[in-house]
């Protein structure tokens, strides 16, 4: 029986392998990962229906991360290579198997297939790089020792899921999440007590993620430290720390095919702010104002969120700063503000602005004279000029918001 490893025991052993192997192996990893997943799909019937779902996403990520970590251990054999990623993924695979009601036989078979495919590739490239039989022998030992470690970590996750089934603990985790979002400062004693009972380490930062009702989630595909409440009218999750690429991949695997938005990473006491920003970003993404894939990150759209945070205030600023344009017709006003915004953004010549707007430079000069007549004094003041630029950007974004039908949302 495979030995269960205690947390953190996937250490980087001293691999008596030449470091020159790492740059030889690394270019092979992308195609090797695809070949391994293809072979697993072909040879394990139990995975036929799940290989394209949340389990398949985690499995594919595990293959990629497992290969990369192995090569990193060759390149830096004394513990400098990060190992938390592959540890978490292996445990997650074990938990998914437990939740799906399967034994570990299929997962262990998948690891064996991965090892066999990887070894065939090594045998194929060895002659090209004149790898000696001694190096290949040590490499074989390293590969299959590493696979044993990964299987043991998966067994850990499987055993944990069997020992701690969902139910009462899920309710306590939702309560912890609610306390954090409601008022983590005022609820500090309760949060500390509940977190300790759940063995959930209170992080220095949290990122809140918003989605819409009716999502189908594979909880076992989530990292163990993620808190979630997907049953309410405004479902959301809490991720300890910032939204890394690995966390994004995790969210896509656990909640495939749905739009999500992640707020900023903040101290736990600011969790409500992160959730508020996430929900605003989700709304803008569904309206087509933000286009950033299935997981929108607020940190990539801060100016847009700021400019659209108070549309009534934007209207007030527009009425104050652009009052001198009120005498114009709607069409004239639109053309003048379009030219003014282009000038404020580019500070280009008439020819450059004309190229940007697809109009003749002489038309630009005419419009700029109208702008000078109407707003000349205001544009000389830096603070007022900044206000005008901000309000024009906000008005442009607001037009994109209102262009979508109310309630028109993407899946």
């Amino acid at each position: 029986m495979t030995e269960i490893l205690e947390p953190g025991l996937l250490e980087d052993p001293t691999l008596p392998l030449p470091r020159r192997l790492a740059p030889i192996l690394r270019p092979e990893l992308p195609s090797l990962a695809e070949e391994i997943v293809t072979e697993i799909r072909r040879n394990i019937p139990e995975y036929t229906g799940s290989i394209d779902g949340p389990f398949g996403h985690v499995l594919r990520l595990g293959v990629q991360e497992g290969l990369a970590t192995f090569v990193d251990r060759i390149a830096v054999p004394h513990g400098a290579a990060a190992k938390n990623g592959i540890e978490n993924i292996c445990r997650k695979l074990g938990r998914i198997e437990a939740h799906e009601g399967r034994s570990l036989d299929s997962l262990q078979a998948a690891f064996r297939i991965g090892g066999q495919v990887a070894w065939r590739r090594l045998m194929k490239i060895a002659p090209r790089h004149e790898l000696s039989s001694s190096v290949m022998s040590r490499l074989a030992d390293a590969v299959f020792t590493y696979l044993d470690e990964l299987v043991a970590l998966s067994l850990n996750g499987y055993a944990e899921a069997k020992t701690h089934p969902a139910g009462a603990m899920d309710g306590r985790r939702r309560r912890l999440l609610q306390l954090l979002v409601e008022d983590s400062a005022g609820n500090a004693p309760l949060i500390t007590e509940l977190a300790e009972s759940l063995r959930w380490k209170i992080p220095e930062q949290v990122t809140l993620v918003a989605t819409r009702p009716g999502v189908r989630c594979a909880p076992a595909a989530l990292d163990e430290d993620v808190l979630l409440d997907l049953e309410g009218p405004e479902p959301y999750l809490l991720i300890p720390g910032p939204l890394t690429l690995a966390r994004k991949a995790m969210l896509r695997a656990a909640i495939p095919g749905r739009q999500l938005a992640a707020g900023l990473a903040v101290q736990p006491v600011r969790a409500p702010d992160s959730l508020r920003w996430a929900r605003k970003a989700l709304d803008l993404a569904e309206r087509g104002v933000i286009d950033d894939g299935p997981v929108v990150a607020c940190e990539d759209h801060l100016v847009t969120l700021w400019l659209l945070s108070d549309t009534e205030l934007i209207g007030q600023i527009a009425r104050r700063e652009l009052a001198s344009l009120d005498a114009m017709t709607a069409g004239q006003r639109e053309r003048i503000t379009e030219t003014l915004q282009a000038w404020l953004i580019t500070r280009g010549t008439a020819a450059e602005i004309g190229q940007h707007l697809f109009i003749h430079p002489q038309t630009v000069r005419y419009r700029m004279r109208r702008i000078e007549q109407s707003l000349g004094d205001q544009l000389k003041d830096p603070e007022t000029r900044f206000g005008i630029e901000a309000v024009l950007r906000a008005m442009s974004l607001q037009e994109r918001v209102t262009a979508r039908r109310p309630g028109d949302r993407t899946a």
Side-chain angles (χ1 to χ4, degrees), residues 177-306:
L177 174 60
Q178 291 168 359
L179 291 172
L180 285 163
V181 170
E182 289 172 1
D183 180 10
S184 62
N187 295 325
L190 286 174
I191 289 173
T192 300
E193 180 181 354
L194 191 51
E196 288 178 352
S197 71
L198 292 167
R199 295 183 180 180
W200 189 82
K201 183 179 179 181
I202 299 176
E204 294 182 1
Q205 289 186 314
V206 296
T207 301
L208 277 294
V209 179
T211 186
R212 294 300 184 191
V215 298
R216 297 180 61 184
C217 177
L222 294 170
D223 293 339
E224 295 177 48
D225 57 355
V226 174
L227 303 177
L228 67 154
D229 183 357
L230 302 180
E231 298 177 2
E234 294 184 292
Y236 62 104
L237 308 89
L238 180 149
I239 296 175
L243 182 71
T244 62
L245 291 176
R247 295 287 203 180
K248 269 191 172 185
M250 171 203 70
L251 290 171
R252 290 195 296 269
I255 310 176
R258 296 302 296 263
Q259 185 75 64
L260 302 103
L264 298 177
V266 296
Q267 294 179 335
V269 293
R270 308 293 299 182
D273 291 328
S274 183
L275 182 56
R276 175 167 51 84
W277 296 326
R279 285 172 172 162
K280 179 65 175 179
L282 180 63
D283 180 64
L284 293 177
E286 292 176 335
R287 291 173 179 269
V289 178
I290 294 174
D291 184 9
D292 200 18
V295 183
V296 173
C298 281
E299 64 180 358
D300 297 330
H301 304 281
L302 295 180
V303 173
T304 297
L305 289 167
W306 167 59

Side-chain angles (χ1 to χ4, degrees), residues 48-64:
T48 301
S50 58
I51 200 73
D52 295 318
F55 173 80
H57 286 283
V58 179
L59 178 64
R60 187 180 300 274
L61 184 63
V63 172
Q64 295 167 349

Side-chain angles (χ1 to χ4, degrees), residues 1 11 33 37 65 144 169 193 198 277 284 314 316 376 397:
M1 179 176 177
E11 301 295 344
V37 173
E65 186 72 18
F144 292 104
M169 183 172 289
E193 180 181 354
L198 292 167
W277 296 326
L284 293 177
I314 289 295
Q316 292 291 337
L397 289 169

Side-chain angles (χ1 to χ4, degrees), residues 38-80:
T38 299
E39 286 299 306
I40 291 172
R41 182 197 298 266
R42 180 181 298 132
N43 290 283
I44 304 181
E46 291 80 3
Y47 290 166
T48 301
S50 58
I51 200 73
D52 295 318
F55 173 80
H57 286 283
V58 179
L59 178 64
R60 187 180 300 274
L61 184 63
V63 172
Q64 295 167 349
E65 186 72 18
L67 292 172
T69 300
F70 179 76
V71 174
D72 288 343
R73 284 167 53 160
I74 294 175
V76 187
H78 296 296

Side-chain angles (χ1 to χ4, degrees), residues 161-175:
K162 289 292 188 180
T163 305
H164 304 290
M169 183 172 289
D170 284 346
R172 291 161 65 200
R173 288 171 69 91
R174 278 197 298 273
R175 178 57 178 157

